[in-house]
Amino acid sequence: MDWLSGLYLWLKALHIISVVAWMAGLLYLPRLFVYHAGAAVGSQQSETFKIMERRLLRGIMNPAMIATYTFGILLVLTPEMAGEWRSRWFQAKITLVVVLTIYHHALARWRKVFAADGNKRPAKFYRLMNEVPTLILIGIVILVVVKPF
Ligand code: HEM
């Protein structure tokens, strides 16, 4: 789409800003779960975590994910990216983005479980899960910057 041509760099800047906001939430929410898993049900601490988790997911993570997708898709439609979606680095990146999106939805489900005081998983589980977005982020950045294949 030619009218997007002059916007390529602006779209890329907005895409990266959205990615940073989304990643901040994807890294922080499981950290909150680690502490929440150790807080007694019904305690003041547990109730505070519920509010923090809801606000983080609804106020930052959901809008940032939508913005990442919106600007990413607009970037694909720019003349600068014509045909690039066929390259293997891009298809590998999209595969990792799908995994990241599934992870986002898993976090949203676990948040609901915490909100209903139903968590049975140990803090260790969330600490382990906390590593997932870091690994995916490293993979995506290498793919989009180095474009190794
Ligand atoms: C539907 C989801 C996404 C789409 C369609 C998409 C698409 C794109 C496109 C077309 C570019 C321009 C590439 C270039 O100029 O060579 C780009 C750049 C970039 N994307 Fe995404 N992206 C998506 C999600 C993500 C996610 C989840 C991350 C990180 C976690 C990410 C990180 C980046 C970065 C860091 C750049 C800048 C690369 C550069 O310096 O050229 N993107 N994206």
Side-chain angles (χ1 to χ4, degrees):
M1 279 191 231
D2 282 351
W3 63 274
L4 283 173
S5 179
L7 294 175
Y8 172 73
L9 289 177
W10 280 104
L11 290 171
K12 191 138 88 169
L14 292 168
H15 180 61
I16 293 170
I17 293 165
S18 315
V19 162
V20 171
W22 188 22
M23 286 306 308
L26 290 172
L27 291 164
Y28 188 42
L29 190 55
R31 208 54 348 242
L32 286 176
F33 291 163
V34 170
Y35 300 130
H36 198 163
V41 167
S43 64
Q44 178 67 52
Q45 225 185 6
S46 170
E47 295 308 306
T48 306
F49 281 132
K50 286 182 190 176
I51 297 168
M52 291 169 76
E53 288 156 5
R54 194 186 64 233
R55 289 189 180 160
L56 181 63
L57 186 74
R58 300 217 180 131
I60 295 175
M61 294 169 66
N62 286 343
M65 178 179 68
I66 292 166
T68 300
Y69 268 76
T70 305
F71 295 123
I73 289 164
L74 286 172
L75 269 170
V76 176
L77 298 174
T78 59
E80 285 85 347
M81 285 295 295
E84 278 290 297
W85 58 270
R86 285 200 199 89
S87 45
R88 286 189 44 216
W89 69 266
F90 185 74
Q91 291 176 358
K93 175 194 169 162
I94 292 304
T95 307
L96 290 183
V97 173
V98 169
V99 178
L100 208 57
T101 307
I102 292 169
Y103 178 78
H104 176 109
H105 286 92
L107 289 180
R109 195 170 314 149
W110 296 334
R111 188 204 69 80
K112 274 193 189 154
V113 173
F114 271 111
D117 293 325
N119 177 57
K120 298 272 185 290
R121 295 185 175 95
K124 207 174 149 194
F125 170 80
Y126 298 106
R127 198 166 284 137
L128 199 72
M129 282 298 128
N130 211 175
E131 305 304 327
V132 174
T134 312
L135 296 175
I136 298 175
L137 175 68
I138 292 169
I140 292 181
V141 170
I142 291 172
L143 285 169
V144 293
V145 176
V146 181
K147 299 183 176 150
F149 40 75

